[in-house]
Amino acid sequence: MDFKELKLEIFIPESHLPALRSALQSVGAGRLGNYDSCMAYSKVTGSWRPLRGSHPFLGAEGEVSEVEEIKVEVNILAGDLERTLNAIYEVHPYDEPLVNVIPILNRKKAQK
């Protein structure tokens, strides 16, 4: 099966949500029919331990950190993946941003 659409899950501090939203808009992410800027976000708890050589946005090397962050979900066309990832990484503050790329099957509703 050839997937033409992808869902991105992006984990980011809430303080950076406006910049991420603008970056996604600038590359047309979240387009759904006659709508744009379609995305969902929710609060989640993130956990990590920075290892030697890391440059953490939050936390300290060798110590486990937990913090509330935002998980953003947005759909894109598969052909737009590289430019969308570039836009995300330009505004993302983390040393190693977590962006999950998930193929989706999105069939249009049947016309009545």
Side-chain angles (χ1 to χ4, degrees):
M1 195 174 264
D2 184 25
F3 292 97
K4 295 179 181 169
E5 292 185 60
L6 306 170
K7 178 174 101 168
L8 304 183
E9 294 178 338
I10 307 152
F11 296 82
I12 193 163
E14 188 170 9
S15 60
H16 288 71
L17 182 60
L20 177 62
R21 184 190 321 264
S22 292
L24 293 171
Q25 287 172 335
S26 75
V27 294
R31 181 85 192 237
L32 182 62
N34 292 325
Y35 297 86
D36 73 1
S37 305
C38 300
M39 62 183 233
Y41 59 92
S42 55
K43 292 184 180 187
V44 297
T45 301
S47 174
W48 66 92
R49 182 174 68 161
L51 302 175
R52 181 175 298 149
S54 63
H55 303 284
F57 177 70
L58 297 170
E61 185 179 305
E63 296 178 15
V64 174
S65 296
E66 277 188 9
V67 70
E68 191 173 271
E69 53 187 357
I70 299 294
K71 177 174 89 168
V72 175
E73 299 177 73
V74 64
N75 290 4
I76 65 168
L77 296 175
D80 293 338
L81 179 60
E82 285 305 312
R83 71 186 190 123
T84 303
L85 289 175
N86 288 337
I88 292 167
Y89 295 151
E90 292 239 348
V91 299
H92 206 296
Y94 291 173
D95 190 28
E96 298 285 343
L98 176 56
V99 180
N100 295 323
V101 179
I102 304 161
I104 60 170
L105 177 62
N106 193 1
R107 297 179 187 222
K108 291 189 175 211
K109 263 194 313 191
Q111 296 290 332
K112 293 183 179 187

